Amino acid sequence: METGEDVRENVKKYYGSRLESSGDLQTSAASCSLSCRPVPRSVTDALSMIHPEVTKRFFGCGLPFPAKLEACRVLDLGSGSGRDSYAFSKLVGQSGHVTGIDMTEELITASRQYVEYHQKKFGYQEPNVTFVQGYMEKLGEAGIQSGSMDVVLSNCVICLCPDKRAVLQEAYNVLKEGGELFYSDMYASKVVPDHMKKDAVLWGEGMGGSLFWKDLISLAHSVGFSTPHLVSASQIVVYNSELKAKAGDISYASGTYRLFKLPKHPNMTEATVTYKGTVADFPDQLDFDSSHCFKKDVAVEVNGEMAAILQSSRFSPDFKIQTLDKPASSSESTPQYCHLNPFLLADKLGSSVKQCSKTSK
């Protein structure tokens, strides 16, 4: 089995030199940007202002743009060409700040070339985005301080990392209390066997390193995060017949999840919550995830963990939260988490990407 360092070197070569654009990828992963609901105008406007050369080398697989980023300190894991980082820098505004981290020198060098361009394009007096070279499993070594970030975002790169627990642990460490990890990634329908993990192309495409979706839940809990919340999902179509044969009966999906860093001893009591309609772009309802849609001025009963998330996160001012007297319900059976299955959600939405990449048949 290759070491983590070997895997990282292969990924650097794959994305730094071999791939000239997202059109060179052998799956639909880079196009899997379908969300359950329309993308806010502020996000589409921000993306439309990104320099074409930055967009060309975008390799992501989802659209990880959560609401309410204004004035936030944001960390973009595996920032690549910088497309998402620059879009985030528009969404956080002049008073916010975005740090993009990537291990590939070519991509960091390329993304830094457009800092001044986007500063002027957004009308900022000074840049609010920084790109650093480093590993997302070692954020401290890259100079990212513990408890310094409001939101950590990532777009289809954790599947390229051999030590996913380290990535989640580092993200947890750099987040402030109440902070959020909001990210898109590739997931497998079952545990990926070791022989697939050793295939450099399968790994570079995200297929060899994709996590079995159910394992994310236990992984998140083990490092201290809340239960993940599934936001959106799409089936990923593998076009290359050779890769398809290697994958066998394993299917792939793009899933966007949000995880929160709750206080050490959160109040996990069920509550009635009422959305005030105060989040920008969401005056009538806030689509929190695929299972929770909060309509303005409509009281909704939520479980203890969701109540704790709303109470401790940046969304706290946007909700009226009334704790219920009854204790949090506990089930003796193990939760099945069907509502967190990206394959079920993708099937429900009928979302898979048909457009094939330019180089594959």
Side-chain angles (χ1 to χ4, degrees), residues 333-349:
S333 61
T334 305
Q336 294 303 300
Y337 296 119
C338 291
H339 62 294
L340 302 182
N341 185 337
F343 295 91
L344 290 181
L345 180 60
D347 286 345
K348 179 182 171 186
L349 298 173

Side-chain angles (χ1 to χ4, degrees), residues 46-124:
L47 289 171
S48 71
M49 298 172 82
I50 306 303
H51 195 286
E53 282 299 313
V54 173
T55 303
K56 179 186 169 188
R57 284 175 71 95
F58 167 68
F59 304 118
C61 68
L63 200 65
F65 288 87
K68 202 174 182 183
L69 289 178
E70 181 74 32
C72 283
R73 292 190 65 81
V74 169
L75 175 63
D76 182 13
L77 298 178
S79 52
S81 70
R83 187 204 79 153
D84 287 356
S85 292
Y86 284 123
F88 296 140
S89 78
K90 177 73 170 71
L91 296 171
V92 301
Q94 180 73 80
S95 61
H97 189 272
V98 176
T99 301
I101 184 169
D102 201 281
M103 67 178 179
T104 309
E105 187 178 359
E106 292 97 325
L107 291 174
I108 285 291
T109 301
S111 56
R112 283 174 176 163
Q113 293 174 8
Y114 300 97
V115 170
E116 189 179 354
Y117 170 89
H118 291 96
Q119 175 200 334
K120 290 178 178 175
K121 187 83 171 175
F122 301 155
Y124 295 162

Side-chain angles (χ1 to χ4, degrees), residues 126-193:
E126 55 188 48
N128 70 339
V129 61
T130 308
F131 292 100
V132 296
Q133 188 177 357
Y135 298 111
M136 51 189 171
E137 312 100 299
K138 301 176 181 179
L139 296 178
E141 288 184 13
I144 313 297
Q145 301 294 311
S146 295
S148 63
M149 297 292 168
D150 297 297
V151 184
V152 174
L153 300 135
S154 181
N155 200 337
C156 210
V157 293
I158 295 179
C159 60
L160 301 172
C161 178
D163 191 349
K164 291 165 182 59
R165 191 184 196 285
V167 176
L168 262 63
Q169 188 66 68
E170 287 290 286
Y172 183 88
N173 292 346
V174 301
L175 281 169
K176 299 174 184 175
E177 193 173 276
E180 173 180 19
L181 170 60
F182 187 106
Y183 75 105
S184 296
D185 207 18
M186 278 177 73
Y187 292 92
S189 57
K190 56 174 67 176
V191 176
V192 175

Side-chain angles (χ1 to χ4, degrees), residues 229 262 266-273 292 294 301-313 316 319 321-324:
H229 289 254
L262 296 176
N267 180 8
M268 301 283 267
T269 309
E270 292 184 17
T272 300
V273 301
H292 295 89
F294 299 110
E301 198 170 303
V302 296
N303 67 22
E305 188 176 60
M306 176 59 88
I309 287 170
L310 295 177
Q311 206 145 24
S312 64
S313 70
S316 177
F319 283 85
I321 301 171
Q322 192 167 359
T323 303
L324 298 174

